[in-house]
Amino acid sequence: MFLFLLIGYPYNPINNPIRLDTTYALETVYRINVGGDDISPKSDTGMFRTWIKDDQYLYGAADGQLAYDYGLQVKYTPMVPAYTAPDLVYRTARFMGFDSRINLNFNLSWFFPVETGFLYLVRLHFCELDRNMTKINKKVFSIYMNNDMNNETAQPQADVIGWSGGQGVPVYKDYVVMIPQGKNGIQDLWLDLHPSTETRPQYYQSFLNGVEIFRLNYYGGNLAVPNNPQLQYHEGPLVNSSSISSSTISSKKRLAKIIGGSAGGLVMAFIIVCSLAFWIRVANERAKKKNKSPFRYFTMKEIKAATNNFDEGRIIGTGGFGVVYKGYIDGETTTVAVKRSNKAQGHNEFQSEIKTLSLLRHQNVVSLMGYCSDEQEMILVYEYMPKGTLFEHLHFSDEQQKMPLSWNQRLHICIGAAQGLCYLHTGMKFQIVHRDVKTSNILLDENWVAKIADFGLSKIDPTNGSTKVMGSIGYIDPEYCRLLKLTDKSDVYSFGVVLLEVLSAKFVVNYNCNDNEENEDAVSFVEWALNCYEKGDLENLIDPHLEGKITPASLAKFMEITQKCLAEQGLDRPSISQVLWSLELALELQIHGNSEDRKVISGNSDLTLGVEFSEIMMPIGR
């Protein structure tokens, strides 16, 4: 039986496959569950293998995001039978993130210290977890292998759906890499994945589920020392075996024993030295990764230079958290937002925001660039968002002489914010609950893309235990206040308040009212708004700037999901992914409402539809 593999070095992997037969031996060096936890032999497929997580072998801060679908029914095939790898390997993965612009500028990379002078078989395991990914040429990426100085293209255009035939179907690819003899005996075998630009895929993305690495050598050789099966070494002249005398044979036997004993000792010493070098290298790499921060550290001198010594003319935002300044760094080539936190915010919230943002990379989550803790200050440096906050555009557009947001713009912004929350709730190994979702924490970039910001109150991996209630007045989930139990549905409630604020452009809390004055809007904005909708009092509910510009179907779908978000019990609220789908549908109904639905909502009209709502619903692909 022969096995044909692609060799990564020094041959062209496409045009020069090599043949491996039963004269080759394999020794397991690494067996990695990428993006998942350790898998014990008892949890394997009956092969009693141990799979370890990939954290210690990742390179750099840009180490990708975790994906998992523990409910996925892995569809094994005759080509990839069930014993190939356990379900847990194929149900977890590591991917690059959601921002194509970022993905094109870095590799998803791992390094594996190995002994030099050997061929290594590298088996890569893939399984598409995205249940909406069913067609080829959606994700295409390149695979590079060898070392950081001489990476070779192992696969120029990897398309997992094209290989496997569908979502949830596992597939693996084998490659052979030669690690040349080196002075130190240990060298890193690098694995890099990078989005392909040649085929112009829909998503510039790459991912991986598992890796196995085997040391490969000729069966007649010794896996303990380098041995190239294609080369045979001879010392002295070749002689005919019949001319050798018995005394010569005896002498050679004695000499062979001496040489054998010496060689055995040298081999053992070699193994010990290589093992020590290997573990020292691994320990050093772990220490480097542990001490390496994913963010830049700014000195107070740099912060003061960036903000012109905290010039009041640079202030772009204020609040209970502190003051935000517009700043310039790197020779004024990069614009940033510098948040100088109040001392009252507390060191814990400061550390929490840094910790949370170190885990995140998404196009709808604001990026933290660095921080400063000099002189007992707590300063965070973010990417600059030139369009400001959603709160400002809803409430101060007239004062700032800016055009009010259109209904389409508002829906797009809500969709972007929902995508950011969906990433926090479901896009990583540990769920993150933001705990302070509000319009002032939804920022807008130059292209009006919404990004979730301010993670000082966020909670990573919340449990069912009691927790201190934190958030902003008017947006906090009443059930959270009552039961002291935090879940992702608390964010959903707060987002429902945001949706009402987007529609009405009214303040959730009116801080200008007198204490002795009864103000229904201030006391219970949610109750007031839902009551207006139920009574058909749209003139008071809807922002006057939107009068005559919302189709009935779009408003009906928007309010349907908003009401569900604001349900009293968290169990009755939708997930944020369901909210996202409904908002996308509301936008489609606004843009492509059918002919019976051309009538639009005005402030003094009744909410009546020309056709049944079910007749104008349409499936929306995400």
Side-chain angles (χ1 to χ4, degrees):
M1 179 179 179
F2 297 103
L3 177 65
F4 289 88
L5 301 173
L6 300 179
I7 189 165
Y9 175 86
Y11 309 104
N12 182 304
I14 303 302
N15 301 322
N16 295 281
I18 69 167
R19 186 181 70 180
L20 302 181
D21 55 31
T22 54
T23 60
Y24 283 81
L26 297 176
E27 179 186 6
T28 303
V29 181
Y30 295 100
R31 185 168 280 122
I32 308 295
N33 181 22
V34 176
D37 294 324
D38 294 342
I39 301 175
S40 67
K42 290 183 179 180
S43 300
D44 195 32
T45 62
M47 304 291 287
F48 297 100
R49 297 165 296 192
T50 298
W51 300 74
I52 62 175
K53 55 187 178 181
D54 66 327
D55 299 43
Q56 61 183 303
Y57 304 107
L58 285 166
Y59 176 73
D63 54 7
Q65 305 298 323
L66 301 179
Y68 61 91
D69 185 351
Y70 292 119
L72 176 69
Q73 184 64 43
V74 180
K75 306 164 190 171
Y76 289 104
T77 66
M79 295 298 294
V80 184
Y83 59 76
T84 304
D87 289 355
L88 288 174
V89 170
Y90 293 123
R91 288 173 177 164
T92 59
R94 194 177 292 274
F95 68 104
M96 301 190 77
F98 295 95
D99 193 328
S100 295
R101 294 170 298 178
I102 295 176
N103 294 350
L104 288 170
N105 291 319
F106 82 100
N107 292 336
L108 196 54
S109 302
W110 296 263
F111 66 93
F112 301 98
V114 296
E115 292 185 57
T116 62
F118 288 93
L119 293 175
Y120 288 88
L121 189 156
V122 181
R123 172 167 291 183
L124 305 182
H125 295 268
F126 300 96
C127 184
E128 178 58 69
L129 297 179
D130 188 344
R131 301 195 182 194
N132 296 308
M133 196 65 57
T134 57
K135 297 180 180 179
I136 63 172
N137 201 34
K138 295 289 186 179
K139 294 179 187 175
V140 181
F141 52 92
S142 300
I143 302 173
Y144 304 96
M145 289 186 195
N146 210 347
N147 60 67
D148 56 343
M149 299 298 293
N150 193 21
N151 271 14
E152 299 288 332
T153 304
Q155 192 79 47
Q157 296 179 16
D159 189 337
V160 175
I161 292 294
W163 286 342
S164 67
Q167 186 270 338
V169 180
V171 65
Y172 65 82
K173 290 293 178 178
D174 289 334
Y175 305 91
V176 171
V177 179
M178 188 177 83
I179 304 298
Q181 186 69 43
K183 293 182 179 180
N184 298 326
I186 299 293
Q187 181 175 296
D188 288 336
L189 190 163
W190 285 83
L191 170 61
D192 295 288
L193 308 181
H194 185 74
S196 173
T197 57
E198 296 181 10
T199 58
R200 294 185 178 274
Q202 183 174 349
Y203 302 100
Y204 290 107
Q205 179 63 266
S206 66
F207 70 95
L208 184 64
N209 300 75
V211 183
E212 292 180 276
I213 299 178
F214 305 92
R215 187 161 58 177
L216 175 68
N217 220 320
Y218 192 61
Y219 187 78
N222 188 342
L223 281 170
V225 293
N227 176 42
N228 191 328
Q230 297 178 352
L231 300 177
Q232 300 295 330
Y233 296 94
H234 300 277
E235 292 187 15
L238 293 176
V239 295
N240 191 308
S241 60
S242 61
S243 64
I244 300 177
S245 65
S246 60
S247 62
T248 303
I249 293 175
S250 178
S251 298
K252 287 189 175 183
K253 284 183 178 180
R254 289 193 298 270
L255 181 61
K257 289 180 180 179
I258 295 172
I259 294 175
S262 300
L266 290 174
V267 169
M268 183 60 66
F270 176 78
I271 293 174
I272 293 172
V273 170
C274 287
S275 298
L276 288 173
F278 170 79
W279 289 113
I280 291 173
R281 178 62 176 271
V282 169
N284 288 338
E285 292 295 341
R286 285 179 177 174
K288 287 180 182 178
K289 288 177 68 61
K290 183 176 181 180
N291 296 327
K292 187 173 181 179
S293 170
F295 301 122
R296 174 176 171 181
Y297 187 85
F298 291 89
T299 64
M300 183 55 66
K301 182 179 179 180
E302 290 175 307
I303 294 296
K304 289 181 177 180
T307 60
N308 193 24
N309 199 22
F310 300 109
D311 184 356
E312 290 187 2
R314 297 276 189 93
I315 294 177
I316 57 176
T318 58
F321 56 82
V323 182
V324 180
Y325 299 84
K326 185 177 182 179
Y328 303 91
I329 62 173
D330 301 331
E332 298 193 352
T333 60
T334 303
T335 308
V336 294
V338 179
K339 184 171 82 170
R340 188 183 191 185
S341 302
N342 283 336
K343 297 294 192 296
Q345 182 191 25
H347 184 72
N348 289 340
E349 292 179 20
F350 179 70
Q351 293 294 331
S352 174
E353 185 149 15
I354 295 175
K355 179 181 178 182
T356 302
L357 285 169
S358 70
L359 303 173
L360 308 178
R361 183 168 61 246
H362 189 272
Q363 63 183 356
N364 298 112
V365 174
V366 70
S367 297
L368 180 66
M369 300 178 67
Y371 66 98
C372 173
S373 57
D374 287 354
E375 301 176 16
Q376 296 184 331
E377 291 274 6
M378 294 179 291
I379 296 173
L380 298 173
V381 181
Y382 296 95
E383 62 174 320
Y384 178 63
M385 304 295 283
K387 299 296 185 184
T389 69
L390 174 58
F391 181 87
E392 295 167 346
H393 287 277
L394 291 175
H395 302 296
F396 303 116
S397 59
D398 290 338
E399 296 177 18
Q400 299 171 352
Q401 297 183 340
K402 296 178 180 179
M403 288 292 295
L405 297 172
S406 68
W407 182 238
N408 282 26
Q409 282 181 306
R410 299 185 199 205
L411 287 175
H412 275 293
I413 291 169
C414 290
I415 288 170
Q419 287 174 329
L421 288 175
C422 190
Y423 168 69
L424 297 179
H425 291 181
T426 65
M428 292 169 294
K429 184 176 181 180
F430 296 109
Q431 185 183 70
I432 296 178
V433 176
H434 187 278
R435 233 180 0 173
D436 198 18
V437 177
K438 56 184 179 180
T439 52
S440 57
N441 283 339
I442 297 175
L443 307 185
L444 305 170
D445 71 7
E446 66 277 5
N447 298 314
W448 297 96
V449 174
K451 301 195 179 189
I452 301 294
D454 200 340
F455 290 83
L457 303 183
S458 62
K459 186 77 172 177
I460 301 175
D461 193 22
T463 64
N464 292 326
S466 62
T467 180
K468 182 180 178 181
V469 176
M470 304 185 78
S472 296
I473 297 173
Y475 298 89
I476 301 178
D477 171 18
E479 184 181 59
Y480 174 34
C481 295
R482 187 172 65 253
L483 302 179
L484 302 181
K485 290 185 178 180
L486 178 68
T487 71
D488 58 325
K489 297 300 180 69
S490 296
D491 278 354
V492 171
Y493 179 90
S494 300
F495 192 67
V497 180
V498 167
L499 295 180
L500 285 181
E501 188 177 356
V502 165
L503 177 65
S504 66
K506 294 187 183 294
F507 291 99
V508 173
V509 177
N510 189 349
Y511 295 100
N512 296 321
C513 64
N514 296 323
D515 293 338
N516 298 327
E517 236 177 60
E518 288 188 7
N519 190 307
E520 191 177 30
D521 291 13
V523 173
S524 180
F525 167 75
V526 170
E527 184 179 353
W528 169 83
L530 294 180
N531 190 46
C532 282
Y533 181 71
E534 291 170 1
K535 290 181 177 180
D537 185 9
L538 303 181
E539 184 176 3
N540 283 326
L541 175 63
I542 299 176
D543 182 358
H545 293 110
L546 299 177
E547 183 175 350
K549 298 176 182 178
I550 306 178
T551 64
S554 178
L555 179 63
K557 191 61 184 174
F558 183 87
M559 286 303 301
E560 176 191 335
I561 195 61
T562 299
Q563 288 174 306
K564 290 180 179 179
C565 288
L566 298 169
E568 291 186 7
Q569 297 185 2
L571 292 175
D572 296 330
R573 298 170 197 157
S575 66
I576 195 63
S577 60
Q578 291 172 312
V579 177
L580 173 59
W581 185 90
S582 294
L583 290 173
E584 290 174 337
L585 179 55
L587 179 61
E588 290 292 327
L589 292 171
Q590 175 69 19
I591 298 173
H592 304 297
N594 70 27
S595 59
E596 295 288 338
D597 190 39
R598 293 303 181 187
K599 181 174 61 176
V600 294
I601 294 293
S602 61
N604 56 5
S605 67
D606 294 328
L607 179 61
T608 56
L609 302 183
V611 293
E612 291 293 328
F613 184 72
S614 60
E615 295 179 14
I616 59 175
M617 285 189 65
M618 59 192 75
I620 304 296
R622 285 186 56 204

